[in-house]
Amino acid sequence: MTPTPLRVAVLISGRGSNLQALIAARRSGELAIELILVASNRPAAEGLRHAEAAGIPTLVLDPAAWPDRAAYDAELFARIAAAAPDLIVLAGFMRVLDAAALAPWAGRIINIHPSLLPKYPGLHTHKRALAAGDALHGASVHFVTAELDGGPVLARTEIAIEPGDTPDSLAQRLLLREHVLLCQCVQWLAQRRAELRADGVYFDGRLLAQSLQV
Ligand SMILES: Nc1nc2c(c(=O)[nH]1)N[C@@H](CN(C=O)c1ccc(C(=O)N[C@@H](CCC(=O)O)C(=O)O)cc1)CN2
Ligand SMILES: NCC(=O)N[C@@H]1O[C@H](COP(=O)([O-])[O-])[C@@H](O)[C@H]1O
């Protein structure tokens, strides 16, 4: 039986190319999802324009209007909850989220991160991989927990670091793979093939010993 389309809310802070990839995959029929909301902490986020063009409701909440991170995150997630998503996708959302706000969403919020986790959680991942002299780089989709970029990884995609690569050239080459990785992970979640349980990530009913490769 075909599962009901997954109701997906996407959180962005900037360009929104990963969001665009989800919009395109939804439009082509590749993804059986409903994009029900795009929210951003930045009013000027370019990705909001993509959402508007696709007829997706948007929400902008400027942190400057809240006294602290916990209050902001509580309001942000209360408004997201009002849209009743099945899944929240962080796609270039550039704020560390408060543990209390995240708690009710365990297993229902994922993030795409530009490194081969557990290497390089946080920011400036391309620069750090180059500085370390790594031969491989990549991106990871993980379930979001209070530990920054420390949640269980569902899948990763790898690229070779090439001679002469800069942080920008690496980011640009990786971004195309990110789009594929994120769409594949959202599809597995929409098909109800992947899920987070107390003891780890399950795929087709089996506990994953290691993350999937895309
Ligand atoms: N509690 C969690 N919050 C977030 C997670 C997570 O796994 N747990 N993933 C991140 C996404 N992310 C990397 O993938 C990330 C985003 C933002 C930051 C960060 O240091 N942000 C600064 C502000 C930076 C800026 O405004 O440019 C901050 O919030 O103080 C690190 C990693 C999303 N949140
Ligand atoms: N720590 C979070 C982080 O750095 N996320 C990264 O921000 C970019 C957003 O691009 P986009 O706005 O074009 O999707 C992507 O490369 C994503 O992996």
Side-chain angles (χ1 to χ4, degrees):
M1 183 182 75
T2 306
T4 54
L6 202 70
R7 293 171 58 83
V8 178
V10 183
L11 274 58
I12 63 169
S13 294
R15 177 183 43 196
S17 73
N18 276 284
L19 167 65
Q20 277 185 288
L22 292 174
I23 292 171
R26 163 73 182 82
R27 185 176 292 129
S28 71
E30 174 193 343
L31 285 185
I33 62 171
E34 280 185 73
L35 290 165
I36 61 165
L37 179 68
V38 172
S40 181
N41 60 309
R42 294 179 178 162
E46 184 186 340
L48 292 167
R49 308 293 81 78
H50 303 315
E52 289 157 0
I56 302 167
T58 58
L59 165 68
V60 177
L61 226 49
D62 185 347
W66 271 264
D68 55 49
R69 190 181 296 268
Y72 175 82
D73 290 355
E75 179 67 19
L76 175 66
F77 278 86
R79 298 206 194 179
I80 291 167
D86 299 309
L87 177 70
I88 297 172
V89 177
L90 307 183
F93 184 69
M94 300 306 288
R95 281 179 58 85
V96 179
L97 290 165
D98 177 68
L102 283 174
W105 298 95
R108 296 188 291 157
I109 180 168
I110 62 172
N111 175 54
I112 184 158
H113 178 75
S115 81
L116 294 173
L117 291 172
K119 295 182 86 170
Y120 316 127
L123 298 174
H124 314 301
T125 61
H126 314 301
K127 181 180 176 184
R128 293 155 69 188
L130 287 167
D134 292 350
L136 284 178
H137 189 41
S140 308
V141 169
H142 65 97
F143 289 94
V144 175
T145 64
E147 181 188 356
L148 185 61
D149 303 326
V153 178
L154 171 56
R156 307 190 314 178
T157 188
E158 293 180 357
I159 61 169
I161 294 181
E162 295 170 359
D165 260 329
T166 64
D168 285 348
S169 66
L170 208 46
Q172 191 175 359
R173 195 161 70 248
L174 181 58
L175 200 56
L176 298 175
R177 296 295 308 155
E178 288 188 42
H179 300 162
V180 175
L181 173 65
L182 182 60
C183 288
Q184 179 61 81
C185 287
V186 172
Q187 184 176 35
W188 284 330
L189 291 162
Q191 293 169 332
R192 279 60 169 192
R193 296 185 65 185
E195 62 174 328
L196 179 63
R197 297 184 192 171
D199 59 338
V201 180
Y202 280 68
F203 189 80
D204 286 346
R206 295 188 182 87
L207 178 63
L208 286 180
Q210 60 186 23
S211 59
L212 300 170
Q213 289 295 319
V214 171

